[in-house]
């Protein structure tokens, strides 16, 4: 990656369905596989109780630091596509 035209960004990740640890791990791998994005480190994985309806599974959350040459709009699009590929349904 051309470090001159890149910047750091932080992405919050979370899941509470379909093996949440694996969902996050797969999302990190998918981001790291994209051209113009390098995952530098992650915060580790944290479990938390759901906010709102309590009749749902606990969440697993993490934050990653990336180096990217993507614009904010491109990065958002990549993240949304990864969500779709992993089966996220927005309601």
């Amino acid at each position: 990656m051309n470090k001159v035209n890149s910047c750091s960004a932080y992405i919050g990740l979370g899941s509470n369905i379909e093996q949440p640890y694996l969902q996050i791990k797969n999302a990190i791998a998918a981001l790291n596989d994209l051209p113009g994005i390098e995952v530098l480190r992650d915060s580790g994985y944290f479990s938390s109780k759901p906010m709102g309806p309590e009749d749902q599974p606990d969440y697993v959350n993490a934050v990653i630091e990336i180096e990217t040459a993507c614009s904010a709009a491109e990065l958002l699009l990549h993240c949304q596509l990864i969500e779709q590929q992993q089966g996220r349904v927005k309601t």
Side-chain angles (χ1 to χ4, degrees):
M1 179 182 335
N2 182 352
K3 297 279 186 182
V4 173
N5 296 322
S6 65
C7 64
S8 293
Y10 298 87
I11 301 172
L13 304 164
S15 179
N16 74 334
I17 58 169
E18 303 290 329
Q19 299 178 312
Y21 287 99
L22 186 58
Q23 291 281 2
I24 292 174
K25 183 178 175 182
N26 289 343
I28 293 170
L31 283 164
N32 201 48
D33 287 343
L34 292 169
I37 297 176
E38 179 184 358
V39 176
L40 301 176
R41 64 182 138 207
D42 69 66
S43 63
Y45 295 61
F46 300 89
S47 182
S48 62
K49 297 287 183 198
M51 301 292 286
E54 295 180 18
D55 62 340
Q56 56 182 319
D58 288 353
Y59 278 85
V60 176
N61 299 287
V63 175
I64 58 172
E65 178 184 10
I66 65 169
E67 187 79 19
T68 183
C70 297
S71 69
E74 291 170 323
L75 185 56
L76 176 61
L77 180 61
H78 287 308
C79 290
Q80 290 172 334
L81 288 172
I82 291 168
E83 285 180 329
Q84 288 175 359
Q85 291 166 353
Q86 289 189 218
R88 177 162 188 216
V89 176
K90 289 188 176 187
T91 57

